[in-house]
C-alpha cells in the first residue's frame, strides 16, 4: 500500500490539511475556517459539500472531523507514515526541523511569547494529531528555521545588548519554508545547484517578506522579531518609525491599540481604506480610485527599495524571484516594482511577464536584463511533507 504523509498547518482561526503520496503526489487537501466561531465550517478540496463541524469547533475538533472524513472517503487508507506540522516561531531553540517529543512541545510553548497568535494554535494542532496518531512520528517545520544562517550583523538590532542577551530581541525572519523552496527551485530552473545559487526571493501573499539567499542560505531578510517588520502587507504596515508609539501615546492611543492598528488596519487596507486584497485593489485603481492606486505605489516602491537593500548581502546575483499569491499572479505588481530597479539593469519581457513565466521555465526577464527574473509558485506543504518523510526515515 502506498505510504502517505499528512501535513497540518494551523492558523489563528483556520487550518489546512494536505495528504501526500509517493513521488510528492498530493492525494487530498482540506480547509477549515472560522474556527471557535458559531459558523465554523470545513471542506475537502474539490467537493462543494461542507464537512459537518460542531458549532464553535476548535482546531482539535476540526482535525478530528477531517481525519475521519479522509478515512471515510478512502483517501487515507492506512495511518500516514508521518505527520508534518508547521510552526511559526522556533526562536533560537529550533534551527531546523525536528521530531516531536514532549520536550519539543515545551520548547514551542516557550517560544509562544514571540508569536502569541500562532504558536499556541500550532501546538494545539500537534497535540490533537499526536492523540489521533500516537505511534506515528510527528515532525515540526519552523517558519524561522531557514533564517538561522543570518549573520549577526543582519539579525542584531542596534539596541542595548541586554535586549538581545536577556530578552531575545533580534531579527528572526519568517516565511522560511517558502524562501527555502525558492532557493531550491530557482537553482533547478537556472540549471544550477542550490549551493552555488544566489537569489533575492520576494514572497508576496497576505504577509510579505523578501530574503537574500547566498549560495542557498538565507543571509538577510525583511521580517524581524515579529512578522510586522519590512514590506507593506495586506493589513500590516511593515516598517514604521518606532518613534510613532510615543507620538500615538500622546494622542491617547495605547501600545495595545497601536499594535492592533499596525497589524490589522494598516498596509494595503489602511492606505486604500477599502481592502487588503491586491486583486480587488488593482480593479479599484483601474476605475480611478486614487487611494488604491497610492496603496499599490507604496507597496511596489517599498518592495523595490528592499530589493536594493538585499543586494548588500550578495556578491553576485543569479536572479530575482517572485512568489506568493501576488508575486505569482500579478504582472502589474511585478512590472511596477521592476520599474524602480533601472539602475540595477533589471528589465522584464512584457509577454513573458503576462504569462507568469509559465511558457518560459519561470523566466520573465527581457534579453537586455542584467539579471534573470523568475516567477515560481511556492509549495510550503510539499517542503513540510518532504522534511517529515526525511526525519521519519532517519
Ligand atoms: P496567504 O498569505 O494568505 O497564503 P496568498 O499567498 O494566497 O495569501 O496571497 C493572497 C494575495 O494574492 C491577495 O492579496 C490576492 O488578492 C492576491 N492575488 C491573487 N491573485 C491575484 C491576481 N491575479 N492579481 C493580483 N493579486 C492577486
Amino acid at each position: 500500500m502506498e505510504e502517505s504523509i499528512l501535513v497540518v498547518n494551523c492558523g489563528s482561526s483556520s487550518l489546512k490539511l494536505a495528504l501526500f503520496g509517493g513521488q510528492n503526489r498530493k492525494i487530498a487537501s482540506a480547509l477549515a475556517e472560522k474556527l471557535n466561531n458559531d459558523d465554523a465550517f470545513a471542506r475537502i478540496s474539490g467537493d462543494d459539500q461542507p464537512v459537518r463541524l460542531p458549532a464553535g469547533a476548535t482546531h482539535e475538533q476540526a482535525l478530528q472531523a477531517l481525519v475521519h472524513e479522509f478515512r471515510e472517503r478512502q483517501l487515507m487508507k492506512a495511518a500516514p507514515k508521518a505527520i508534518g506540522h508547521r510552526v511559526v516561531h522556533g526562536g533560537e531553540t529550533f534551527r531546523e526541523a525536528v521530531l516531536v517529543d514532549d520536550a519539543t512541545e515545551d520548547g514551542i510553548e516557550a517560544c509562544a511569547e514571540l508569536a502569541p497568535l500562532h504558536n499556541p494554535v500550532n501546538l494545539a494542532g500537534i497535540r490533537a494529531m499526536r492523540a489521533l496518531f500516537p505511534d506515528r512520528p510527528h515532525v515540526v517545520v519552523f517558519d524561522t528555521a531557514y533564517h538561522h544562517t543570518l549573520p549577526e550583523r543582519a539579525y542584531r538590532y542596534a539596541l542595548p545588548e541586554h535586549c538581545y542577551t536577556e530578552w531575545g530581541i533580534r531579527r528572526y525572519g519568517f516565511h522560511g519554508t517558502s524562501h527555502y523552496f525558492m532557493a531550491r527551485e530557482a537553482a533547478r530552473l537556472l540549471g544550477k545547484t542550490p549551493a552555488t545559487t544566489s537569489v533575492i526571493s520576494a514572497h508576496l501573499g497576505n504577509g510579505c517578506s523578501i530574503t537574500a539567499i547566498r549560495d542557498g542560505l538565507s543571509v538577510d531578510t525583511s521580517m524581524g522579531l515579529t512578522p510586522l517588520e519590512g514590506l507593506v502587507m495586506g493589513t500590516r504596515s511593515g516598517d514604521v518609525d518606532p518613534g510613532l508609539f510615543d507620538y500615538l501615546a500622546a494622542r491617547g492611543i495605547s501600545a495595545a491599540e497601536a499594535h492592533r492598528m499596525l497589524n490589522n488596519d494598516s498596509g494595503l487596507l489602511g492606505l486604500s481604506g477599502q481592502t487588503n486584497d491586491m486583486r480587488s485593489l488593482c480593479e479599484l485603481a483601474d476605475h480611478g480610485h486614487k487611494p488604491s492606486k497610492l496603496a499599490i505605489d507604496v507597496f511596489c516602491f517599498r518592495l523595490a527599495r528592499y530589493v536594493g537593500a538585499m543586494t548588500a548581502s550578495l556578491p553576485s546575483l543569479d536572479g530575482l524571484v517572485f512568489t506568493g499569491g501576488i508575486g505569482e499572479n500579478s504582472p502589474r505588481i511585478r512590472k511596477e516594482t521592476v520599474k524602480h530597479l533601472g539602475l540595477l539593469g533589471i528589465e522584464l519581457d512584457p509577454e513573458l511577464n503576462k504569462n507568469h513565466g509559465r511558457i518560459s521555465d519561470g523566466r520573465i526577464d527581457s534579453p537586455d536584463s542584467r539579471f534573470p527574473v523568475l516567477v515560481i509558485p511556492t509549495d510550503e506543504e510539499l517542503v513540510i511533507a518532504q522534511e517529515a518523510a526525511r526525519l521519519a526515515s532517519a
Side-chain angles (χ1 to χ4, degrees):
M1 188 180 300
E2 186 182 31
E3 284 187 327
S4 64
I5 306 279
L6 196 53
V7 174
V8 185
N9 180 357
C10 288
S12 46
S13 64
S14 66
L15 70 82
K16 290 182 194 155
L17 208 56
L19 186 67
F20 286 86
Q23 265 110 41
N24 302 328
R25 184 176 68 89
K26 198 187 262 187
I27 301 169
S29 58
L31 173 76
E33 284 191 90
K34 302 195 176 175
L35 295 172
N36 303 307
N37 275 299
D38 285 346
D39 45 356
F41 71 94
R43 215 163 250 138
I44 309 258
S45 291
D47 187 344
D48 290 342
Q49 285 295 317
V51 175
R52 278 176 62 92
L53 292 183
T58 59
H59 286 76
E60 184 181 5
Q61 287 170 316
L63 284 169
Q64 285 165 350
L66 287 171
V67 167
H68 175 77
E69 208 59 32
F70 275 8
R71 283 183 164 136
E72 281 287 295
R73 296 182 189 204
Q74 298 279 303
L75 294 165
M76 192 166 74
K77 297 189 180 110
K81 178 184 169 193
I83 297 95
H85 299 264
R86 174 185 178 221
V87 169
V88 166
H89 218 307
E92 286 198 321
T93 316
F94 299 105
R95 299 162 72 88
E96 58 188 356
V98 290
L99 279 165
V100 179
D101 57 18
D102 292 346
T104 320
E105 288 193 7
D106 292 345
I108 294 168
E109 200 153 34
C111 297
E113 207 185 358
L114 291 163
L117 295 180
H118 293 104
N119 273 33
V121 285
N122 299 157
L123 195 52
I126 293 169
R127 288 183 170 141
M129 294 304 277
R130 284 184 85 192
L132 284 173
F133 299 105
D135 60 351
R136 295 286 143 163
H138 292 253
V139 170
V140 178
V141 177
F142 297 90
D143 270 22
T144 46
Y146 179 58
H147 300 297
H148 83 269
T149 48
L150 291 183
E152 196 165 11
R153 65 172 177 269
Y155 74 69
R156 284 292 292 275
Y157 290 111
L159 293 171
E161 196 188 9
H162 69 270
C163 292
Y164 172 59
T165 51
E166 287 174 35
W167 299 327
I169 297 177
R170 52 159 282 181
R171 313 187 60 261
Y172 291 95
F174 299 86
H175 288 146
T177 314
S178 178
H179 291 301
Y180 166 70
F181 186 75
M182 291 307 121
R184 262 180 19 188
E185 274 300 287
R188 187 182 69 76
L189 290 166
L190 293 165
K192 296 174 64 114
T193 60
T196 58
T197 304
S198 296
V199 294
I200 295 173
S201 160
H203 177 108
L204 311 174
N206 276 312
C208 301
S209 72
I210 185 165
T211 294
I213 296 169
R214 180 176 177 168
D215 296 333
L217 306 177
S218 169
V219 288
D220 193 11
T221 193
S222 59
M223 284 178 168
L225 175 72
T226 74
L228 182 56
E229 191 179 337
L231 303 177
V232 175
M233 313 182 209
T235 62
R236 282 174 250 166
S237 60
D239 294 341
V240 290
D241 182 340
L244 180 72
F245 280 87
D246 229 22
Y247 197 82
L248 289 172
R251 279 150 188 79
I253 296 173
S254 68
E257 284 166 328
H259 177 86
R260 203 168 36 247
M261 180 176 92
L262 295 177
N263 276 286
N264 303 339
D265 308 330
S266 299
L268 297 174
L269 173 64
L271 280 165
S272 70
Q274 295 289 321
T275 175
N276 63 334
D277 185 86
M278 183 59 92
R279 198 172 0 192
S280 312
L281 268 187
C282 291
E283 281 163 21
L284 282 162
D286 284 341
H287 285 91
H289 188 253
K290 288 204 171 109
S292 296
K293 161 101 179 45
L294 176 69
I296 294 170
D297 281 353
V298 178
F299 181 93
C300 295
F301 178 62
R302 176 86 57 88
L303 176 57
R305 254 167 82 183
Y306 260 96
V307 172
M310 290 296 139
T311 62
S313 293
L314 302 175
S316 62
L317 183 65
D318 296 304
L320 168 64
V321 181
F322 287 95
T323 192
I326 299 171
E328 292 166 29
N329 296 303
S330 179
R332 174 183 190 153
I333 298 302
R334 296 190 296 255
K335 181 176 148 206
E336 293 199 18
T337 302
V338 165
K339 186 179 83 185
H340 298 294
L341 298 172
L343 197 61
L344 285 179
I346 297 179
E347 286 178 29
L348 298 187
D349 178 297
E351 205 48 36
L352 299 184
N353 185 33
K354 203 169 101 194
N355 286 303
H356 314 291
R358 282 178 201 145
I359 49 169
S360 45
D361 281 340
R363 295 285 290 267
I364 58 167
D365 48 294
S366 78
D368 294 335
S369 183
R370 209 170 136 211
F371 301 105
V373 184
L374 296 101
V375 177
I376 301 178
T378 193
D379 197 342
E380 291 153 287
E381 287 170 348
L382 176 64
V383 174
I384 296 172
Q386 289 171 337
E387 287 290 90
R390 183 177 66 81
L391 286 179
S393 308

